[in-house]
Amino acid sequence: MPMTQSEVCIGKRRREDGAEADGAVGEAGAGRSLKALRSDVSTASAAWPPMSPPPPDDFDILLPKQPPPSPASALFRPSVDQSTKYVVVSGGVCSSLGKGVTTSSIGALMRGHGFRVSAIKLDPYLNIDAGLMSPYEHGEVYVLDDGGETDLDLGNYERMMFLSLQRDNNLTTGKIYDSVIKKERRGDYLGKTVQVIPHITGGITEWVNRVAQIPVDGSTLRPQI
C-alpha cells in the first residue's frame, strides 16, 4: 500500500532525530574517554619523578660537558667513584635477542644520569675479529676509529651512548687464545703448564678489567660503569 506524503515526512523526521541522538551519544562517549585519558596521564606524571633532560644531539657539544645530576643516582654515585661497576647482559649463543639494544639502552640511561660509561662486547667464536667473517652469517662489519673491524653492536654502543670505542672493546675467544699463546711463547708463564683454567679464564678477566679503565667518552677519566 503506497505511503502518503505526511507519513513519508514523519519517517524522515524520525530518522534525522535518531541520527542526531546517535551523534550526541558518540560525542559524549569520546568526551568521557578523553577525560579518562587525561586523568591517567596526570596520575602517571604525579607518581613518577621527572626524567633527566636528554643529551644534546651534537657529539662535539656533549663530550666536554656532563648532563645535570639526578637525585635518583645520588646513592649509587659513591660506589662508582671508588671503582668501576659492571652490568652484564647475557643471552648465551643465541642471536637477535636484543642484547645489543638492551646494553645500549642501559648505557644511555646511565649516561643520561651523569655517569661515565663504556661497553665491551664478548663473542664466543674463535675468529680474531669480524673482518673475515661472512656477512651472510654474522652481518655487516662495523669499523671503529682505530681501524678495528668489529660486530655491529659496537655501532649501537657508539651512537646511543656517544662513545668512541677501540678494537679491544670487542673481545673474542680467538683474541684471548692468541694473547695467551703469545705470552706462553715469550715465557711469561715461566714454564708452567698453560691450561684453560686458570690461564684462559684469567686472561678474560684481565682483558675486561684493563679495557674498562680506558676513557672512551672524550674525557681523560676512567669509566664508572
PDB file of all heavy atoms in Angstrom, residues 3 16 19 36-37 40 51 58-59 66 80 90 94 106 128 152 165 169 171 183-185 187 190 198 206-207 210 219:
ATOM      1  N   MET A   3       2.582   4.868   0.612  1.00  0.00           N
ATOM      2  CA  MET A   3       2.555   5.768   1.766  1.00  0.00           C
ATOM      3  C   MET A   3       2.167   7.155   1.335  1.00  0.00           C
ATOM      4  O   MET A   3       2.492   7.616   0.232  1.00  0.00           O
ATOM      5  CB  MET A   3       3.936   5.807   2.440  1.00  0.00           C
ATOM      6  CG  MET A   3       4.412   4.461   2.950  1.00  0.00           C
ATOM      7  SD  MET A   3       6.068   4.567   3.633  1.00  0.00           S
ATOM      8  CE  MET A   3       5.791   5.727   4.950  1.00  0.00           C
ATOM      9  N   GLU A  16      16.126  11.475  11.081  1.00  0.00           N
ATOM     10  CA  GLU A  16      17.020  12.592  11.408  1.00  0.00           C
ATOM     11  C   GLU A  16      17.200  12.732  12.911  1.00  0.00           C
ATOM     12  O   GLU A  16      18.310  12.962  13.413  1.00  0.00           O
ATOM     13  CB  GLU A  16      16.463  13.883  10.815  1.00  0.00           C
ATOM     14  CG  GLU A  16      16.516  13.906   9.288  1.00  0.00           C
ATOM     15  CD  GLU A  16      15.874  15.162   8.735  1.00  0.00           C
ATOM     16  OE1 GLU A  16      15.280  15.908   9.561  1.00  0.00           O
ATOM     17  OE2 GLU A  16      15.971  15.401   7.524  1.00  0.00           O
ATOM     18  N   ALA A  19      19.550  10.003  14.079  1.00  0.00           N
ATOM     19  CA  ALA A  19      20.948  10.271  13.734  1.00  0.00           C
ATOM     20  C   ALA A  19      21.544  11.308  14.675  1.00  0.00           C
ATOM     21  O   ALA A  19      22.697  11.197  15.120  1.00  0.00           O
ATOM     22  CB  ALA A  19      21.046  10.736  12.277  1.00  0.00           C
ATOM     23  N   ALA A  36      39.114  10.543  30.746  1.00  0.00           N
ATOM     24  CA  ALA A  36      39.788   9.463  31.466  1.00  0.00           C
ATOM     25  C   ALA A  36      41.255   9.386  31.087  1.00  0.00           C
ATOM     26  O   ALA A  36      42.125   9.151  31.931  1.00  0.00           O
ATOM     27  CB  ALA A  36      39.090   8.129  31.161  1.00  0.00           C
ATOM     28  N   LEU A  37      41.564   9.601  29.790  1.00  0.00           N
ATOM     29  CA  LEU A  37      42.959   9.563  29.350  1.00  0.00           C
ATOM     30  C   LEU A  37      43.766  10.670  29.999  1.00  0.00           C
ATOM     31  O   LEU A  37      44.895  10.467  30.455  1.00  0.00           O
ATOM     32  CB  LEU A  37      43.006   9.681  27.818  1.00  0.00           C
ATOM     33  CG  LEU A  37      44.397   9.677  27.172  1.00  0.00           C
ATOM     34  CD1 LEU A  37      45.109   8.363  27.476  1.00  0.00           C
ATOM     35  CD2 LEU A  37      44.282   9.896  25.669  1.00  0.00           C
ATOM     36  N   ASP A  40      44.510   9.774  33.555  1.00  0.00           N
ATOM     37  CA  ASP A  40      45.564   8.766  33.651  1.00  0.00           C
ATOM     38  C   ASP A  40      46.925   9.399  33.467  1.00  0.00           C
ATOM     39  O   ASP A  40      47.883   9.078  34.171  1.00  0.00           O
ATOM     40  CB  ASP A  40      45.342   7.672  32.597  1.00  0.00           C
ATOM     41  CG  ASP A  40      44.099   6.835  32.900  1.00  0.00           C
ATOM     42  OD1 ASP A  40      43.637   6.874  34.056  1.00  0.00           O
ATOM     43  OD2 ASP A  40      43.608   6.161  31.967  1.00  0.00           O
ATOM     44  N   MET A  51      61.925  13.080  34.426  1.00  0.00           N
ATOM     45  CA  MET A  51      63.039  12.452  33.730  1.00  0.00           C
ATOM     46  C   MET A  51      64.196  13.436  33.604  1.00  0.00           C
ATOM     47  O   MET A  51      64.009  14.659  33.577  1.00  0.00           O
ATOM     48  CB  MET A  51      62.603  11.986  32.340  1.00  0.00           C
ATOM     49  CG  MET A  51      61.540  10.900  32.351  1.00  0.00           C
ATOM     50  SD  MET A  51      61.038  10.432  30.693  1.00  0.00           S
ATOM     51  CE  MET A  51      62.623   9.878  30.047  1.00  0.00           C
ATOM     52  N   ASP A  58      74.435  17.120  19.230  1.00  0.00           N
ATOM     53  CA  ASP A  58      75.772  17.338  18.689  1.00  0.00           C
ATOM     54  C   ASP A  58      76.802  16.611  19.544  1.00  0.00           C
ATOM     55  O   ASP A  58      76.931  16.853  20.738  1.00  0.00           O
ATOM     56  CB  ASP A  58      76.082  18.841  18.656  1.00  0.00           C
ATOM     57  CG  ASP A  58      77.294  19.151  17.780  1.00  0.00           C
ATOM     58  OD1 ASP A  58      78.096  18.233  17.507  1.00  0.00           O
ATOM     59  OD2 ASP A  58      77.424  20.318  17.367  1.00  0.00           O
ATOM     60  N   PHE A  59      77.577  15.718  18.928  1.00  0.00           N
ATOM     61  CA  PHE A  59      78.557  14.919  19.650  1.00  0.00           C
ATOM     62  C   PHE A  59      79.646  15.804  20.247  1.00  0.00           C
ATOM     63  O   PHE A  59      80.088  15.592  21.376  1.00  0.00           O
ATOM     64  CB  PHE A  59      79.164  13.894  18.701  1.00  0.00           C
ATOM     65  CG  PHE A  59      80.091  12.906  19.365  1.00  0.00           C
ATOM     66  CD1 PHE A  59      79.592  11.932  20.205  1.00  0.00           C
ATOM     67  CD2 PHE A  59      81.457  12.948  19.148  1.00  0.00           C
ATOM     68  CE1 PHE A  59      80.431  11.015  20.819  1.00  0.00           C
ATOM     69  CE2 PHE A  59      82.301  12.038  19.753  1.00  0.00           C
ATOM     70  CZ  PHE A  59      81.788  11.078  20.586  1.00  0.00           C
ATOM     71  N   GLN A  66      78.877  17.472  31.051  1.00  0.00           N
ATOM     72  CA  GLN A  66      78.180  16.379  31.701  1.00  0.00           C
ATOM     73  C   GLN A  66      76.714  16.775  31.902  1.00  0.00           C
ATOM     74  O   GLN A  66      76.422  17.928  32.208  1.00  0.00           O
ATOM     75  CB  GLN A  66      78.818  16.058  33.058  1.00  0.00           C
ATOM     76  CG  GLN A  66      80.174  15.393  32.964  1.00  0.00           C
ATOM     77  CD  GLN A  66      80.083  13.990  32.374  1.00  0.00           C
ATOM     78  OE1 GLN A  66      79.037  13.362  32.428  1.00  0.00           O
ATOM     79  NE2 GLN A  66      81.161  13.511  31.805  1.00  0.00           N
ATOM     80  N   VAL A  80      80.512   4.026  42.543  1.00  0.00           N
ATOM     81  CA  VAL A  80      81.163   4.068  41.235  1.00  0.00           C
ATOM     82  C   VAL A  80      82.362   5.004  41.237  1.00  0.00           C
ATOM     83  O   VAL A  80      83.248   4.883  40.387  1.00  0.00           O
ATOM     84  CB  VAL A  80      80.166   4.472  40.128  1.00  0.00           C
ATOM     85  CG1 VAL A  80      79.042   3.483  40.023  1.00  0.00           C
ATOM     86  CG2 VAL A  80      79.641   5.880  40.354  1.00  0.00           C
ATOM     87  N   SER A  90      73.601 -10.950  29.215  1.00  0.00           N
ATOM     88  CA  SER A  90      73.959 -12.248  28.644  1.00  0.00           C
ATOM     89  C   SER A  90      72.764 -12.873  27.945  1.00  0.00           C
ATOM     90  O   SER A  90      71.632 -12.773  28.417  1.00  0.00           O
ATOM     91  CB  SER A  90      74.471 -13.189  29.748  1.00  0.00           C
ATOM     92  OG  SER A  90      74.726 -14.477  29.229  1.00  0.00           O
ATOM     93  N   CYS A  94      72.667 -17.381  21.428  1.00  0.00           N
ATOM     94  CA  CYS A  94      71.535 -17.051  20.556  1.00  0.00           C
ATOM     95  C   CYS A  94      71.702 -15.625  20.032  1.00  0.00           C
ATOM     96  O   CYS A  94      72.099 -14.721  20.766  1.00  0.00           O
ATOM     97  CB  CYS A  94      70.216 -17.183  21.306  1.00  0.00           C
ATOM     98  SG  CYS A  94      69.850 -18.858  21.863  1.00  0.00           S
ATOM     99  N   ILE A 106      70.618   0.626  28.359  1.00  0.00           N
ATOM    100  CA  ILE A 106      71.067   0.777  29.746  1.00  0.00           C
ATOM    101  C   ILE A 106      72.176   1.809  29.832  1.00  0.00           C
ATOM    102  O   ILE A 106      72.188   2.677  30.715  1.00  0.00           O
ATOM    103  CB  ILE A 106      71.524  -0.575  30.310  1.00  0.00           C
ATOM    104  CG1 ILE A 106      70.333  -1.541  30.414  1.00  0.00           C
ATOM    105  CG2 ILE A 106      72.175  -0.402  31.684  1.00  0.00           C
ATOM    106  CD1 ILE A 106      70.730  -2.943  30.817  1.00  0.00           C
ATOM    107  N   ILE A 128      89.520 -13.932  15.247  1.00  0.00           N
ATOM    108  CA  ILE A 128      90.164 -12.806  15.923  1.00  0.00           C
ATOM    109  C   ILE A 128      89.232 -11.604  15.941  1.00  0.00           C
ATOM    110  O   ILE A 128      89.088 -10.907  16.940  1.00  0.00           O
ATOM    111  CB  ILE A 128      91.503 -12.460  15.249  1.00  0.00           C
ATOM    112  CG1 ILE A 128      92.469 -13.630  15.378  1.00  0.00           C
ATOM    113  CG2 ILE A 128      92.106 -11.198  15.872  1.00  0.00           C
ATOM    114  CD1 ILE A 128      92.859 -13.970  16.793  1.00  0.00           C
ATOM    115  N   LEU A 152      78.479  -5.377  14.702  1.00  0.00           N
ATOM    116  CA  LEU A 152      77.614  -4.207  14.535  1.00  0.00           C
ATOM    117  C   LEU A 152      77.103  -3.653  15.860  1.00  0.00           C
ATOM    118  O   LEU A 152      76.704  -2.487  15.930  1.00  0.00           O
ATOM    119  CB  LEU A 152      76.421  -4.569  13.642  1.00  0.00           C
ATOM    120  CG  LEU A 152      76.661  -4.550  12.131  1.00  0.00           C
ATOM    121  CD1 LEU A 152      75.428  -5.068  11.410  1.00  0.00           C
ATOM    122  CD2 LEU A 152      77.002  -3.155  11.656  1.00  0.00           C
ATOM    123  N   LEU A 165      84.747   3.956  20.734  1.00  0.00           N
ATOM    124  CA  LEU A 165      85.341   2.724  21.240  1.00  0.00           C
ATOM    125  C   LEU A 165      86.583   2.326  20.441  1.00  0.00           C
ATOM    126  O   LEU A 165      86.859   2.875  19.377  1.00  0.00           O
ATOM    127  CB  LEU A 165      84.304   1.598  21.190  1.00  0.00           C
ATOM    128  CG  LEU A 165      83.008   1.864  21.975  1.00  0.00           C
ATOM    129  CD1 LEU A 165      82.028   0.721  21.780  1.00  0.00           C
ATOM    130  CD2 LEU A 165      83.308   2.063  23.451  1.00  0.00           C
ATOM    131  N   ASN A 169      87.573  -3.184  22.675  1.00  0.00           N
ATOM    132  CA  ASN A 169      86.233  -3.252  23.248  1.00  0.00           C
ATOM    133  C   ASN A 169      85.408  -4.384  22.653  1.00  0.00           C
ATOM    134  O   ASN A 169      84.289  -4.622  23.094  1.00  0.00           O
ATOM    135  CB  ASN A 169      85.500  -1.929  23.045  1.00  0.00           C
ATOM    136  CG  ASN A 169      86.040  -0.816  23.922  1.00  0.00           C
ATOM    137  OD1 ASN A 169      86.993  -0.141  23.566  1.00  0.00           O
ATOM    138  ND2 ASN A 169      85.440  -0.639  25.090  1.00  0.00           N
ATOM    139  N   LEU A 171      85.853  -8.261  22.359  1.00  0.00           N
ATOM    140  CA  LEU A 171      86.679  -9.387  22.803  1.00  0.00           C
ATOM    141  C   LEU A 171      86.093 -10.685  22.269  1.00  0.00           C
ATOM    142  O   LEU A 171      84.904 -10.943  22.404  1.00  0.00           O
ATOM    143  CB  LEU A 171      86.732  -9.427  24.333  1.00  0.00           C
ATOM    144  CG  LEU A 171      87.460 -10.604  24.975  1.00  0.00           C
ATOM    145  CD1 LEU A 171      88.909 -10.664  24.521  1.00  0.00           C
ATOM    146  CD2 LEU A 171      87.364 -10.527  26.488  1.00  0.00           C
ATOM    147  N   LYS A 183     101.869 -15.027  25.099  1.00  0.00           N
ATOM    148  CA  LYS A 183     102.518 -14.934  26.414  1.00  0.00           C
ATOM    149  C   LYS A 183     103.312 -16.193  26.718  1.00  0.00           C
ATOM    150  O   LYS A 183     104.430 -16.128  27.258  1.00  0.00           O
ATOM    151  CB  LYS A 183     101.466 -14.699  27.507  1.00  0.00           C
ATOM    152  CG  LYS A 183     100.838 -13.320  27.502  1.00  0.00           C
ATOM    153  CD  LYS A 183      99.828 -13.195  28.633  1.00  0.00           C
ATOM    154  CE  LYS A 183      99.184 -11.813  28.656  1.00  0.00           C
ATOM    155  NZ  LYS A 183      98.197 -11.687  29.759  1.00  0.00           N
ATOM    156  N   GLU A 184     102.757 -17.337  26.350  1.00  0.00           N
ATOM    157  CA  GLU A 184     103.465 -18.601  26.593  1.00  0.00           C
ATOM    158  C   GLU A 184     104.748 -18.669  25.767  1.00  0.00           C
ATOM    159  O   GLU A 184     105.793 -19.121  26.255  1.00  0.00           O
ATOM    160  CB  GLU A 184     102.533 -19.768  26.254  1.00  0.00           C
ATOM    161  CG  GLU A 184     103.071 -21.140  26.630  1.00  0.00           C
ATOM    162  CD  GLU A 184     103.948 -21.728  25.543  1.00  0.00           C
ATOM    163  OE1 GLU A 184     103.720 -21.386  24.361  1.00  0.00           O
ATOM    164  OE2 GLU A 184     104.870 -22.519  25.861  1.00  0.00           O
ATOM    165  N   ARG A 185     104.715 -18.187  24.517  1.00  0.00           N
ATOM    166  CA  ARG A 185     105.907 -18.193  23.662  1.00  0.00           C
ATOM    167  C   ARG A 185     106.978 -17.238  24.168  1.00  0.00           C
ATOM    168  O   ARG A 185     108.175 -17.475  23.968  1.00  0.00           O
ATOM    169  CB  ARG A 185     105.521 -17.828  22.224  1.00  0.00           C
ATOM    170  CG  ARG A 185     104.675 -18.874  21.493  1.00  0.00           C
ATOM    171  CD  ARG A 185     105.482 -20.116  21.152  1.00  0.00           C
ATOM    172  NE  ARG A 185     105.544 -21.087  22.254  1.00  0.00           N
ATOM    173  CZ  ARG A 185     106.358 -22.135  22.258  1.00  0.00           C
ATOM    174  NH1 ARG A 185     107.198 -22.328  21.248  1.00  0.00           N
ATOM    175  NH2 ARG A 185     106.356 -22.966  23.279  1.00  0.00           N
ATOM    176  N   GLY A 187     107.497 -16.723  27.266  1.00  0.00           N
ATOM    177  CA  GLY A 187     107.957 -17.219  28.557  1.00  0.00           C
ATOM    178  C   GLY A 187     107.355 -16.509  29.736  1.00  0.00           C
ATOM    179  O   GLY A 187     107.891 -16.593  30.855  1.00  0.00           O
ATOM    180  N   LEU A 190     106.625 -18.650  32.776  1.00  0.00           N
ATOM    181  CA  LEU A 190     107.776 -19.253  33.462  1.00  0.00           C
ATOM    182  C   LEU A 190     107.750 -20.785  33.423  1.00  0.00           C
ATOM    183  O   LEU A 190     108.045 -21.463  34.416  1.00  0.00           O
ATOM    184  CB  LEU A 190     107.838 -18.762  34.919  1.00  0.00           C
ATOM    185  CG  LEU A 190     107.923 -17.232  35.097  1.00  0.00           C
ATOM    186  CD1 LEU A 190     107.896 -16.861  36.571  1.00  0.00           C
ATOM    187  CD2 LEU A 190     109.170 -16.685  34.410  1.00  0.00           C
ATOM    188  N   PRO A 198      93.778 -21.890  35.035  1.00  0.00           N
ATOM    189  CA  PRO A 198      93.296 -20.511  35.214  1.00  0.00           C
ATOM    190  C   PRO A 198      93.722 -19.539  34.119  1.00  0.00           C
ATOM    191  O   PRO A 198      93.367 -18.365  34.203  1.00  0.00           O
ATOM    192  CB  PRO A 198      93.961 -20.113  36.529  1.00  0.00           C
ATOM    193  CG  PRO A 198      95.303 -20.784  36.441  1.00  0.00           C
ATOM    194  CD  PRO A 198      95.060 -22.096  35.722  1.00  0.00           C
ATOM    195  N   GLU A 206      91.429 -10.351  33.032  1.00  0.00           N
ATOM    196  CA  GLU A 206      92.429  -9.291  32.884  1.00  0.00           C
ATOM    197  C   GLU A 206      92.076  -8.350  31.738  1.00  0.00           C
ATOM    198  O   GLU A 206      92.219  -7.130  31.857  1.00  0.00           O
ATOM    199  CB  GLU A 206      93.798  -9.935  32.633  1.00  0.00           C
ATOM    200  CG  GLU A 206      94.909  -8.931  32.427  1.00  0.00           C
ATOM    201  CD  GLU A 206      96.233  -9.614  32.046  1.00  0.00           C
ATOM    202  OE1 GLU A 206      96.292 -10.861  32.099  1.00  0.00           O
ATOM    203  OE2 GLU A 206      97.185  -8.903  31.700  1.00  0.00           O
ATOM    204  N   TRP A 207      91.618  -8.903  30.623  1.00  0.00           N
ATOM    205  CA  TRP A 207      91.265  -8.091  29.454  1.00  0.00           C
ATOM    206  C   TRP A 207      90.113  -7.144  29.786  1.00  0.00           C
ATOM    207  O   TRP A 207      90.178  -5.943  29.496  1.00  0.00           O
ATOM    208  CB  TRP A 207      90.884  -9.002  28.292  1.00  0.00           C
ATOM    209  CG  TRP A 207      90.709  -8.308  26.963  1.00  0.00           C
ATOM    210  CD1 TRP A 207      89.791  -7.351  26.655  1.00  0.00           C
ATOM    211  CD2 TRP A 207      91.487  -8.515  25.778  1.00  0.00           C
ATOM    212  NE1 TRP A 207      89.916  -6.962  25.349  1.00  0.00           N
ATOM    213  CE2 TRP A 207      90.947  -7.646  24.789  1.00  0.00           C
ATOM    214  CE3 TRP A 207      92.547  -9.346  25.452  1.00  0.00           C
ATOM    215  CZ2 TRP A 207      91.453  -7.611  23.489  1.00  0.00           C
ATOM    216  CZ3 TRP A 207      93.044  -9.302  24.163  1.00  0.00           C
ATOM    217  CH2 TRP A 207      92.521  -8.449  23.194  1.00  0.00           C
ATOM    218  N   ARG A 210      91.142  -4.380  32.184  1.00  0.00           N
ATOM    219  CA  ARG A 210      92.021  -3.391  31.545  1.00  0.00           C
ATOM    220  C   ARG A 210      91.238  -2.448  30.637  1.00  0.00           C
ATOM    221  O   ARG A 210      91.402  -1.219  30.709  1.00  0.00           O
ATOM    222  CB  ARG A 210      93.107  -4.121  30.736  1.00  0.00           C
ATOM    223  CG  ARG A 210      94.003  -3.180  29.914  1.00  0.00           C
ATOM    224  CD  ARG A 210      95.087  -3.963  29.205  1.00  0.00           C
ATOM    225  NE  ARG A 210      94.535  -4.979  28.329  1.00  0.00           N
ATOM    226  CZ  ARG A 210      94.107  -4.750  27.082  1.00  0.00           C
ATOM    227  NH1 ARG A 210      94.136  -3.509  26.586  1.00  0.00           N
ATOM    228  NH2 ARG A 210      93.657  -5.736  26.335  1.00  0.00           N
ATOM    229  N   SER A 219      86.779  12.252  27.512  1.00  0.00           N
ATOM    230  CA  SER A 219      87.434  12.800  28.693  1.00  0.00           C
ATOM    231  C   SER A 219      88.696  11.980  28.990  1.00  0.00           C
ATOM    232  O   SER A 219      89.026  11.044  28.276  1.00  0.00           O
ATOM    233  CB  SER A 219      86.494  12.750  29.902  1.00  0.00           C
ATOM    234  OG  SER A 219      86.261  11.407  30.298  1.00  0.00           O
TER     235      SER A 219
END
